[in-house]
Each structure stands twice: as structure tokens, then as C-alpha cells.
Amino acid sequence: MIKKLLSWHRFPFWVFHLPTVPYIAWLALRARSPLFMTAANPLMSENAFRRTAKSRVLRGLPDEVLPATRIWTPEEGTEALLRWLERSELPFPLVVKPHSGERGRGVERLRDASELEGWASSVRGEWMVQELVDLPLELGVLYHRFPGRSRGRITSLARKHLPAVTGDGRRDLGTLIREQIPSRLRARLLSINSHRLGSVPPNGETVVVDFVAQPFLGSRIECLNDRITPRMEETFDRLTSGIEGFCYGRFDLKAQSLEKLERGEGLRVLELNLNASMPLHIWDPKYGTIATYRELLRDWQLLAEISAANRREGTPLMTLSQGLAQLRARRQLPVGPGGGRS
């Protein structure tokens, strides 16, 4: 009971980070800069804590691991998008997300041209329009490679299980969401599933009620660190070999299976998050508070070491004025109607 009450998974996000502050401050003193981590990815160092332009980060990965994507602004109009869909032979549904964003904010799924028109009329800024990748496994893979080395390591491998409810053959989906989903998530999931709330799932059927796999949005995380192999690490060595200046980040991807992922087959990279990435496996409920902070502090130490190694190679740190400007820019992310349905 005490372990459950003390579990950090119940903490507000800002409370969770408080215990790491003294260690981060110590690392900053050693590096003589509060932005000691910003040289971890040399050619992307200005992206340390900003909402990174996603297409720029993905540049350098092989085309075959990337979903079909188009960068779009409202000034182009929806006709340009519809023509692109026709040329690319892409069906609905589509996924749209801010070109610069994080933690699933502003991500939406559009089921048809009517929803596309409605969405496009209510957004601003630059967006990514992307095919919906339908593969059975969604994973987070935290990978790093020290500068000058050809081999890297995977330090976190985790599976994301989307929020779901179980039907009983009697109650409709809306009732199941209200009864089986935590109260803080219900309003959002009721909105996302508004088109099918009256449907009655058969007894025992599992119904996925979201498509954005983020732990703070209700996804269950399963640690798979015991499935990390040297061959899997070699796959990520090859994947990242074309990204000049990349040393540290978490791949959010979908795969056919772990066996195919190990061989570098049947996968699609949805996003590559940089310096601000967290090891996803710590969200597994089996991780207690002490184990979680041990992992986090080790990750901060690793980030500091990679950044220091890049500084010795001539990569500068972000200045304090640049850092403050990036933090201000975090508040200017374009979002869809209502801040993003999903």
C-alpha cells in the first residue's frame, strides 16, 4: 500500500521532477553552464528544449522507415492537400501534428475529407500531414552514440499500449469509457470517440479508444529492456549513420515485431525526440520511485557526458539568452481546435 502511494506515477509532472533538480544543478556547476546538455546533438544543439521541427530531425533517416509526410500551412488551402493525397494514393484516416511539438499535443486523426476541411479552417502555423501507420507494436527506443564512435547503445526499450476498454455486450462505448477510464482522461476520450459512443462492443471485445500513445494520456507502458540485443543496437547504428551530428535521442516508432525490429525490417519511425527525451521504460508500473530516479539520474549523467565530449570536439553550448528565447517559443506552438483532440 505504501509503495503504491509513494509511486511517482501518481505525482504531478512538476512534482516528479523536483528531486532531480539538485543533481542537475551539480552537473551544471561541473560544466559551468545551466545549459550543459545542449551540445549533446551538435547539428541540432539549438533544439535542446525547443519544440523541434519534426521533419528536420527525421532528415537523414532512410526513406523506407518514414511514413509518407507533407508539410502544410493553412495558406496553401485544402486543395493542395487533397491533390497530394491523390498523387500519393494515400487513404483516410490521416494524422496531423504541429511541425514543432511534443508529448502528443495538437495531434489529431482525420477520418475523411469533411473532417480535413473542418480542421484546416481552424488551425494556424506549420503542420505535418502524415499517413496513419497501422502496425501492431508501438515502441520507444532510447539510443545514444558517443562522438567519433560507430557503435552506440540502446538504454531503454518500451512498448506503448493504447488506452482501451472491454465490452460486455450490454453497455455502449460511452458508458464503458466513463466507467473504465480515469476521470482526468474521460472528456478527451469521449470527444475523440464521439462518432461511435452509442455502439455496443461484444462481450470480451477490447476496444482501443485513442491512437496517441503517451503515458500521460493514459497509455500503459511495458518495459522491454530484457529484449535489447547487440543486433538491435547494430540496426540503430545503421539507421542513424546518415544523421550527421546525432548522438542522443528517443525513437518513437511502430514495428511488425521485435524480431523484425532487431533485423531492421517492418518498422516506421514516427518521431525522433532529442535532448529532452526521457527513458520511456520508467513508466512501467513495476518501477518504483527509487528505481525510477536511479534511471533518470543515470540518464542525465549520460547526457552530460555526451555533451561534454562534443564540446571537446568544438560544439558550443546554447547561450543563456538563446535558452530563454527557446523557452518563450514553447508557448507559441500552433494547435488545432480545442488544443488538439488527440
Side-chain angles (χ1 to χ4, degrees):
M1 180 66 178
I2 294 177
K3 181 179 179 181
K4 186 174 182 180
L5 289 173
L6 293 177
S7 172
W8 78 268
H9 301 86
R10 293 175 171 265
F11 297 169
F13 194 73
W14 68 271
V15 173
F16 158 66
H17 278 289
L18 284 179
T20 68
V21 171
Y23 188 68
I24 295 171
W26 180 71
L27 292 174
L29 285 173
R30 287 183 61 191
R32 299 180 181 179
S33 171
L35 300 176
F36 63 89
M37 76 300 292
T38 58
N41 288 298
L43 295 187
M44 306 172 188
S45 58
E46 75 274 17
N47 293 327
F49 283 115
R50 71 180 294 183
R51 287 189 163 92
T52 311
K54 294 181 173 71
S55 64
R56 179 182 179 186
V57 176
L58 295 174
R59 193 178 303 156
L61 289 173
D63 289 342
E64 59 266 23
V65 304
L66 297 175
T69 303
R70 190 188 193 282
I71 309 304
W72 177 85
T73 61
E75 290 73 24
E76 298 179 67
T78 55
E79 285 300 319
L81 276 182
L82 293 172
R83 287 195 299 270
W84 172 71
L85 291 175
E86 185 177 356
R87 288 195 305 270
S88 305
E89 298 182 346
L90 289 180
F92 284 96
L94 299 172
V95 175
V96 292
K97 60 181 77 172
H99 194 205
S100 298
E102 59 185 26
R103 297 180 190 166
R105 187 183 178 203
V107 180
E108 299 192 36
R109 178 172 53 184
L110 306 177
R111 296 189 298 271
D112 52 38
S114 175
E115 286 197 357
L116 175 64
E117 292 280 357
W119 168 82
S121 67
S122 60
V123 298
R124 57 182 174 81
E126 201 169 42
W127 291 78
M128 292 178 72
V129 181
Q130 201 171 71
E131 68 171 312
L132 181 67
V133 178
D134 186 19
L135 290 173
L137 296 184
E138 185 155 359
L139 303 163
V141 183
L142 187 62
Y143 168 90
H144 74 271
R145 183 178 63 243
F146 276 86
R149 300 183 188 178
S150 59
R151 297 293 307 277
R153 287 198 60 212
I154 296 173
T155 55
S156 177
L157 175 63
R159 181 177 181 182
K160 308 175 185 181
H161 296 269
L162 289 167
V165 297
T166 302
D168 61 4
R170 295 181 293 105
R171 289 171 291 184
D172 61 32
L173 183 61
T175 301
L176 295 173
I177 290 175
R178 294 182 185 93
E179 293 182 352
Q180 298 181 22
I181 296 295
S183 57
R184 64 183 178 85
L185 303 172
R186 286 175 198 156
R188 177 177 172 277
L189 295 182
L190 287 169
S191 175
I192 293 172
N193 294 279
S194 59
H195 62 290
R196 56 173 183 167
L197 292 178
S199 62
V200 179
N203 185 40
E205 179 177 302
T206 298
V207 181
V208 174
V209 292
D210 203 349
F211 77 104
V212 180
Q214 291 286 353
F216 67 94
L217 292 178
S219 293
R220 180 174 64 85
I221 303 301
E222 178 186 2
C223 176
L224 298 176
N225 283 355
D226 59 340
R227 302 295 299 273
I228 298 172
T229 66
R231 187 176 183 184
M232 187 180 292
E233 291 176 331
E234 290 172 4
T235 290
F236 281 85
D237 293 337
R238 292 193 301 272
L239 279 178
T240 58
S241 62
I243 310 178
E244 186 179 358
F246 171 79
C247 292
Y248 175 97
R250 192 187 73 226
F251 291 82
D252 290 332
L253 57 86
K254 288 191 174 185
Q256 287 280 0
S257 66
L258 288 176
E259 292 74 21
K260 285 193 173 184
L261 175 65
E262 189 177 46
R263 300 193 300 268
E265 302 170 357
L267 68 128
R268 292 290 184 274
V269 177
L270 306 180
E271 292 190 14
L272 173 54
N273 304 286
L274 301 179
N275 301 24
S277 303
M278 288 176 61
L280 197 62
H281 70 275
I282 64 174
W283 290 81
D284 189 318
K286 75 180 181 183
Y287 268 80
T289 302
I290 293 176
T292 293
Y293 284 113
R294 185 187 300 118
E295 293 284 313
L296 270 183
L297 297 184
R298 183 169 61 182
D299 195 63
W300 273 107
Q301 176 67 38
L302 175 63
L303 193 60
E305 290 175 359
I306 294 173
S307 189
N310 280 320
R311 290 181 70 186
R312 290 191 291 270
E313 297 291 325
T315 301
L317 294 177
M318 182 186 292
T319 65
L320 188 58
S321 61
Q322 289 172 328
L324 292 173
Q326 298 295 356
L327 287 174
R328 287 194 294 269
R330 291 171 68 90
R331 302 173 183 175
Q332 300 175 3
L333 173 69
V335 296
R341 292 194 302 269
S342 55

